[in-house]
Amino acid sequence: EKAEDREQYQRWLRTAQDAPMDFVFPSRLEEFFALETLLKNNQKDSRLMYYLGNFLYAHERFGEAIKFWEDALSDLETFDVIHRNLGLAYWERHKDPDRAMGFFETALELNTNNQDIYIYLDDIYRYLGAGEKRQGLLQKIKALPEMREDIRKRIILILVDLGNYQEALNILETETFMPLEMDQSFHDLYVRALMMRAENKMTSKDILGAIEDYKLMLEYPENLGVGRPTKRTQAKVNYLLGNAYEKIGKYSEALASWHEASSEHHSSGEELFTYVQMALDKISRYSELGLS
C-alpha cells in the first residue's frame, strides 16, 4: 500500500469521525470501505451507520441502507435529515405513505427551514386527500421568511386544490414569477384557478363574467414568466368559451371559438381530443342550420 494511499485513508477516517454530519456524504468505494472498517471497531457509532446508509441508498442497495438508518435513528433522533431520508425510503420503496408522513412531520418539527420537507409532506397529504393537513401546512409555508420558487408555486397549488381559487389568482395576477425553462406549471395553475371561477360564474348565470375568464385563460401574462407554447393546448377553453357564447345567443362568436378548438391536433385518448371532437360536433350541428 502506498504511503499517499494510507494518508488519504486516514483523512477519510478523520472526516467521518470529526466533521459535521451535514458536510459528509461518501460517494466513492474507497470511502465506503473506510467507513466499514471504522464501524467494525465502533459497532454502535450511529454516525457511521448514517453515512453508510447514504452511500448504499445512492447505489440502489435500498434494504441495507434503510436498515442502517433505522439502527442509527435512536441516537440521531434530533437530526432532521435522517428522518427525511427514512420518509423518502418508506414513501418510494415501501409504498407506505402513513409511515413516511410520520417521518416527514418529525423532520419538519426539527428543522422548519428545510424547504424540501414542505414539498414531500404536501405530496403525501395530497395523495392521502388530507385537506385539513394541507391547510395547516400552507400556513407554515406562508410563515417562511424567504422561500424558493418551487415553494411559492406550491402555495398556489395548495390553494387551487383546496378550492381557494380567488386567493390563488390574487397572487398570480400581482406577483412576478421566474419558472425554469420549459416549465408551464405557473400558467397551468393560472388556467385552473380561472376555470374554477368561470364554472362558478356559469352556475350563477353570470355568463358574461365567465366569458371574460375564458378569454383570460387564452392569454399568457408576462408576470408568469412563460410564453405561448408551440403546440396549442387550448381546445377545452375554446370549446367552453363557445358554449358560453351560445347561451347568450352570440352564435358567430361561438362558432369561431369551436372552430379554434377543432383545429387543434391531439391523439385519441387524450383529454383534449374529446374537446376537439365535441367542438366538431357543435360545428356540424350548426352547419345543418346553414350557420357554420
Side-chain angles (χ1 to χ4, degrees), residues 16-34:
Q17 290 173 317
D18 302 330
M21 286 190 293
D22 288 340
F23 297 94
V24 178
F25 195 99
S27 59
R28 290 177 288 186
L29 193 59
E30 297 92 332
E31 295 164 350
F32 174 78
F33 289 140

Side-chain angles (χ1 to χ4, degrees), residues 173-205:
E173 290 171 347
T174 59
E175 297 184 14
T176 300
F177 301 91
M178 299 182 65
L180 297 174
E181 186 176 2
M182 305 300 291
D183 181 6
Q184 295 276 338
S185 54
F186 282 104
H187 187 266
D188 292 343
L189 286 169
Y190 178 66
V191 171
R192 278 187 61 197
L194 285 169
M195 186 67 73
M196 295 171 75
R197 190 168 74 181
E199 288 172 354
N200 278 350
K201 289 178 179 179
M202 290 292 290
T203 301
S204 63
K205 308 303 182 184

